[in-house]
Amino acid sequence: MLTLLLESSPAVNKSCWFTIFTLLTLSCLQQVNAEENAKPSSQQKATNASTKAFDFAQLDVRARELSQKPYKSDDGDLPDVFAQLSPEQYRNIHYREDRLVWHEEGLPFQLALNHRGYIYKDRVFVNTVEKGQVNRIAYAPELFDFGQLSVMGAMSTDPGFSGLSVRYPLKRDQHFDEITLFLGASYFKAMGLGQVQGLSARALAIDTGMNKAEEFPVFREFWVERPDSEATELVVYALLDSVSLTGAYRFVIQPGIDLHIDVQSKLYLRQAVDRLGIAPLTSMFLHGENTESFKDDYRPEVHDSDGLLMARHNGEMIWRPLNNPRQLRISVFKDTSPRGLGLLTRDRNFDHYQDPEAHYQTRPSAWVEPLGEWGPGSVYLLEIPSDAEKYDNIASFWVPDHGTARGKSLTYNYRLHFQSSEPLSGHNGRVMATRISHVAVEGDAHARRVQVDFTGDRLSLLSPEARIEADVGASSGTVQDTEIRKIAENGYWRLSFTLIPEKDKDPVELRAALRNGKDVLTETWLYQWNQK
């Protein structure tokens, strides 16, 4: 503009030129200032970012940014009175029922916070999210009932929280049952109607069962969306942090007779991981009907789960009974994009447990239903020797074949079912019991008689004279004296056979299924038997 004005006005004197130049300069500066004012400042940008509605995308960015920084634990500054608690003392610290989050609003979901202490030393921040805005729940001693524990003088610092519990009225409107508990590392438990706490799920298992220390990722922070008054599901977000990786998680909790949790996860690798366990489950098996050694216990069976069930991509169902071995056992089952896997409790008969306090017959099964294609990989089953029911000695998880190199990002989505019924209805006959005992065979002191009971709607309709055949195989040794018969008392079909093991061939992998001609009637029973 200035150039054009000068060229079109050659007769204007110098004072006019100065005046014109000054006015034009001021005009340009005003235009520049107006444009700059229209742009948000760095402070305004920060404010806009903080007021943006919280969602999974925000959490994803935070997890990715955190993965670029070194891991730093947050398990210090815990007063001795809490750090040195016994299990019993810790269990006696209760979140006050009248201080439950959303208690005064009378919402269908309410939250309780867990105190730091005992083995739960990692600090966990908990936030609520209302209309996209985040509000952190502040620690206060009056939130808790400490029972007989003296905490005077221990509150000079903020001890903080270690986890959270979700409450929901499963039975009646005024009684809020605990349906989900996030406590310890990345562990969480869930229960449906009539179920009690049993096995645990985890966000991830890192280097589990290897000849080096296992790594335990932790949930650093939670965000819980405020439900409306008619809500039937609750959304919980969680930030995962560990030496090797970070992760963004979204849980949609759907309570009912069976409880379902939709899990969305995005992982960012800080460093390579040798064995990355996806959708891990952790349980306990002390002894059951397949235990051969004598147990000095009035209870016939003691376990949270009694078998691993797998639904292979080709439709085959595999049942692997659990055991309490003399030494660590790791079983690996190859597959591509499995339809499901889980640790189940099939035995729901109280008479088989005889424990009116532990209620093992009401412990939930946990079934992992992959959402999307998981690709090639393996189901891992770990069975660890144990001498007490307080130890979780069973673990299962999916290990992908693809690499887990530093800087890589991974996405896994799945649905978790905590239930008392079978996860897949309509499939073939299922295994209900496995029993193994010594049998007298001349010249072989290690011979075993194996009995496997199958049941199912289709099997129960078959007459005892039906033409049922068995496919039985062993990785070593000899299988003989195979028999199949229907048990009149319960309608089960019992497969029996004798195993003559081969010397120095340990362990023996056993496999069996029932069929009628080419028609397979049952899932595949797998078992690992050891002479030693």
Side-chain angles (χ1 to χ4, degrees):
M1 287 178 62
L2 181 59
T3 302
L4 291 173
L5 181 60
L6 289 173
E7 292 177 349
S8 61
S9 307
V12 181
N13 61 34
K14 290 182 178 180
S15 62
C16 291
W17 287 124
F18 178 79
T19 302
I20 293 171
F21 180 80
T22 302
L23 291 172
L24 288 171
T25 302
L26 289 173
S27 176
C28 291
L29 288 174
Q30 289 174 351
Q31 183 177 355
V32 170
N33 288 336
E35 292 175 353
E36 289 298 319
N37 289 333
K39 297 178 181 179
S41 66
S42 59
Q43 183 176 0
Q44 287 174 321
K45 289 179 182 178
T47 302
N48 291 341
S50 64
T51 57
K52 182 181 178 181
F54 180 86
D55 56 13
F56 186 79
Q58 273 199 44
L59 180 59
D60 185 22
V61 170
R62 183 167 175 178
R64 185 175 67 249
E65 292 176 345
L66 184 61
S67 71
Q68 305 303 313
K69 303 173 184 177
Y71 173 76
K72 184 182 295 185
S73 64
D74 187 8
D75 56 1
D77 300 325
L78 185 62
D80 288 344
V81 66
F82 297 117
Q84 298 174 4
L85 290 175
S86 68
E88 292 75 17
Q89 289 174 318
Y90 183 77
R91 283 195 293 267
N92 285 330
I93 300 177
H94 300 286
Y95 196 88
R96 295 174 61 92
E97 295 293 323
D98 59 343
R99 300 301 297 270
L100 291 172
V101 179
W102 302 315
H103 173 75
E104 293 185 358
E105 292 93 327
L107 298 183
F109 292 90
Q110 299 179 13
L111 306 178
L113 288 301
N114 297 90
H115 205 285
R116 286 177 71 206
Y118 176 44
I119 61 174
Y120 307 111
K121 294 181 171 60
D122 290 297
R123 186 187 304 276
V124 173
F125 295 104
V126 181
N127 311 276
T128 59
V129 181
E130 184 171 357
K131 296 180 179 179
Q133 301 308 302
V134 175
N135 299 290
R136 176 161 293 176
I137 300 176
Y139 175 88
E142 56 267 24
L143 295 175
F144 294 91
D145 178 358
F146 295 97
Q148 301 300 314
L149 185 67
S150 176
V151 297
M152 296 299 295
M155 297 304 180
S156 57
T157 59
D158 175 358
F161 305 120
S162 63
L164 67 95
S165 167
V166 178
R167 310 288 182 88
Y168 181 83
L170 284 174
K171 302 172 185 173
R172 53 185 185 277
D173 289 344
Q174 302 305 315
H175 181 77
F176 281 75
D177 306 281
E178 181 179 73
I179 60 169
T180 309
L181 172 65
F182 294 90
L183 181 63
S186 68
Y187 285 80
F188 58 98
K189 294 176 179 285
M191 295 75 68
L193 181 63
Q195 300 170 6
V196 299
Q197 278 193 17
L199 80 172
S200 301
R202 284 192 275 170
L204 287 175
I206 298 179
D207 294 337
T208 306
M210 301 190 70
N211 57 353
K212 60 180 178 178
E214 181 176 356
E215 184 178 323
F216 291 93
V218 299
F219 281 136
R220 287 235 175 271
E221 191 164 359
F222 291 94
W223 295 260
V224 187
E225 288 187 359
R226 184 186 190 276
D228 60 38
S229 59
E230 302 298 325
T232 57
E233 62 183 32
L234 185 72
V235 179
V236 178
Y237 302 88
L239 176 65
L240 188 78
D241 196 11
S242 188
V243 173
S244 297
L245 52 77
T246 64
Y249 279 76
R250 182 176 184 265
F251 302 93
V252 181
I253 303 171
Q254 306 160 51
I257 296 176
D258 294 330
L259 185 141
H260 311 284
I261 303 179
D262 285 349
V263 182
Q264 179 183 0
S265 68
K266 187 69 174 289
L267 308 175
Y268 296 93
L269 279 294
R270 281 191 173 109
Q271 62 187 37
V273 174
D274 291 326
R275 181 180 292 165
L276 181 63
I278 305 299
L281 301 173
T282 303
S283 192
M284 179 275 295
F285 186 96
L286 189 61
H287 59 88
E289 77 265 345
N290 58 321
T291 302
E292 295 183 63
S293 59
F294 170 75
K295 296 295 181 182
D296 191 6
D297 195 328
Y298 74 91
R299 301 165 299 179
E301 300 183 41
V302 177
H303 52 73
D304 286 338
S305 309
D306 53 18
L308 169 71
L309 182 65
M310 294 168 282
R312 292 171 55 82
H313 75 285
N314 61 2
E316 181 186 18
M317 301 293 295
I318 294 177
W319 175 257
R320 168 67 154 73
L322 301 179
N323 212 333
N324 184 358
R326 297 185 181 92
Q327 56 189 6
L328 173 65
R329 292 184 188 175
I330 301 179
S331 302
V332 181
F333 309 93
K334 297 286 293 182
D335 201 7
T336 299
S337 295
R339 294 170 54 209
L341 62 138
L343 295 176
L344 274 57
T345 294
R346 282 182 166 172
D347 192 339
R348 298 290 176 183
N349 191 332
F350 169 77
D351 289 341
H352 295 177
Y353 300 95
Q354 291 294 326
D355 194 328
E357 296 178 352
H359 303 288
Y360 288 114
Q361 74 280 1
T362 61
R363 302 289 173 105
S365 299
W367 179 250
V368 179
E369 177 190 352
L371 301 177
E373 297 296 316
W374 280 13
S378 302
V379 175
Y380 273 65
L381 173 65
L382 274 67
E383 297 168 296
I384 305 168
S386 177
D387 60 1
E389 60 196 282
K390 63 181 178 180
Y391 301 122
D392 283 344
N393 63 324
I394 303 295
S396 70
F397 43 83
W398 172 259
V399 177
D401 281 352
H402 59 67
T404 55
R406 177 182 178 181
K408 191 166 187 177
S409 63
L410 304 170
T411 298
Y412 284 95
N413 301 325
Y414 53 95
R415 183 169 293 126
L416 268 173
H417 305 266
F418 292 86
Q419 55 194 84
S420 300
S421 58
E422 284 293 310
L424 296 174
S425 60
H427 73 271
N428 286 341
R430 60 190 183 275
V431 177
M432 285 302 297
T434 301
R435 298 178 178 86
I436 300 179
S437 61
H438 175 265
V439 63
V441 174
E442 185 176 352
D444 197 316
H446 296 291
R448 287 293 184 273
R449 189 66 178 170
V450 181
Q451 297 184 345
V452 185
D453 288 350
F454 295 88
T455 188
D457 293 341
R458 188 177 177 189
L459 280 176
S460 64
L461 295 175
L462 297 175
S463 72
E465 290 76 29
R467 188 176 178 181
I468 307 297
E469 300 171 321
D471 283 330
V472 182
S475 60
S476 63
T478 304
V479 172
Q480 61 186 41
D481 301 329
T482 300
E483 298 178 355
I484 305 171
R485 67 187 182 98
K486 188 173 185 178
I487 302 173
E489 287 76 8
N490 57 18
Y492 292 177
W493 284 84
R494 176 165 295 176
L495 165 66
S496 303
F497 62 89
T498 297
L499 171 66
I500 310 297
E502 187 176 348
K503 187 177 181 181
D504 298 328
K505 293 287 187 179
D506 221 21
V508 182
E509 300 288 348
L510 299 170
R511 182 184 185 95
L514 301 184
R515 61 182 175 84
N516 177 260
K518 295 182 179 180
D519 189 7
V520 179
L521 301 175
T522 68
E523 62 193 11
T524 302
W525 170 85
L526 298 182
Y527 198 76
Q528 188 180 85
W529 182 81
N530 289 66
Q531 300 182 55
K532 300 177 182 179

